[in-house]
Amino acid sequence: MFRAIAASGILVCTVLTAGCADLMQQSYISQIAPEWFEAKAVEVKGEGYPELADVPETRPVETTLARSDRDANALKDAATRLEAQLAGQGDIRSNEDVRATAAQWRATLEDGAAAAGHSIEPTP
C-alpha cells in the first residue's frame, strides 16, 4: 500500500516537473505572461549567466603600506582640525534660533528694498 502511494507521488511530481518545463517552451505564454516571467525562465534554464572567461582579472594594488599610513594620518589630522573648528564655533543652533535669524534677515532685506523703491513679494 505504501509503495503504491509513493510510486504515485513520484509519478505526479514527474508530470508536474515536465509541465513546468513545457510551460517555458510555449511561445503563447510569453505573450500573456508578465515581464519578469521571461527573465525568470532564462534563469531557470541556466542561461544568461556570464562565462567565467569573461570575469575580469584582479589588478594589483598600486600603493605601498607607507603611503597608506601617510594618507590615513593626513585624514586623521584633517578630522582633528575640523572637529576643533566646529567645537570653537559653539553649540549647534536650535531651529527656532535659525528661523528667528532668517526672519531678521528677511525684514532687513525687505526694508532695504522698500527704501530703494522695490517691492519684494514672497513666493507662496
Side-chain angles (χ1 to χ4, degrees):
M1 180 73 174
F2 180 72
R3 287 185 180 182
I5 293 174
S8 63
I10 291 173
L11 182 64
V12 167
C13 289
T14 304
V15 169
L16 289 177
T17 304
C20 289
D22 184 50
L23 180 65
M24 289 186 215
Q25 300 297 329
Q26 296 174 0
S27 62
Y28 71 91
I29 293 294
S30 65
Q31 296 172 355
I32 61 172
E35 296 175 4
W36 57 265
F37 182 81
E38 187 79 27
K40 193 65 173 176
V42 168
E43 181 182 331
V44 169
K45 290 178 188 176
E47 299 171 357
Y49 292 106
E51 294 294 324
L52 285 179
D54 296 338
V55 176
E57 295 180 19
T58 58
R59 291 179 281 177
V61 178
E62 298 177 0
T63 186
T64 62
L65 182 60
R67 181 175 176 182
S68 296
D69 289 341
R70 189 172 56 246
D71 291 345
N73 289 333
L75 285 173
K76 287 178 186 176
D77 292 342
T80 303
R81 287 193 306 271
L82 180 61
E83 288 173 357
Q85 178 185 0
L86 292 175
Q89 292 177 355
D91 293 333
I92 297 175
R93 297 171 41 183
S94 67
N95 289 340
E96 293 80 21
D97 189 24
V98 171
R99 287 189 182 103
T101 303
Q104 289 174 350
W105 289 352
R106 188 177 303 115
T108 303
L109 179 65
E110 290 172 353
D111 290 344
H118 301 290
S119 66
I120 299 176
E121 297 183 20
T123 58

